[in-house]
Amino acid sequence: MDIFCKIINNEIPSYTLYEDKIVKVFLDVNPNHNGHTLIVPKKHYQDFFDIDEETLNYILKIARDMAKRLKERLNYDGISLCQNNGLGQEVKHFHLHLIPKYHNEEKLSVEEIYNKLK
Ligand code: AMP
């Protein structure tokens, strides 16, 4: 079982920001920038080619909602959406990264960021 399946099953803790029947959204434990967030389908899909279109569209909708929440709470200057497949994909369970960018950034711990976002 991959690590994201374990997080979804609550076998491994996570800084969860949102969850429903379809997705779980939590902070990346090794963030590139403050507020680096992962959107993960609860059903196991390996990657972009494996995931069904309906779930993919739903993830994009959640991504926009989450990007707005991150903007309100962290006031980033830009945000990137990123999704790795094959080479460069560390966890073989589909996930979309939301990566905020800042002109000036004081890097905070994941826990501190979680406290601002929850
Ligand atoms: P990717 O290279 O697209 O597969 O990215 C995998 C991401 O998952 C990396 O940014 C890791 O920091 C992140 N990651 C790995 N383990 C965990 C975990 N237990 N909780 C949250 N994020 C994780």
Side-chain angles (χ1 to χ4, degrees), residues 3-4 7 26-30 84 88-91 95 97:
I3 192 157
F4 289 172
I7 287 175
F26 51 88
L27 290 173
D28 195 300
V29 281
N30 189 19
N84 296 311
Q89 182 182 6
E90 184 192 319
V91 179
H95 52 282
H97 297 252

Side-chain angles (χ1 to χ4, degrees), residues 6-29:
K6 289 182 181 164
I7 287 175
I8 286 155
N9 291 338
N10 295 314
E11 291 171 32
I12 293 179
S14 64
Y15 291 100
T16 295
L17 301 175
Y18 173 79
E19 108 175 92
D20 61 23
K21 279 197 307 201
I22 317 268
V23 293
K24 189 154 179 155
V25 179
F26 51 88
L27 290 173
D28 195 300
V29 281

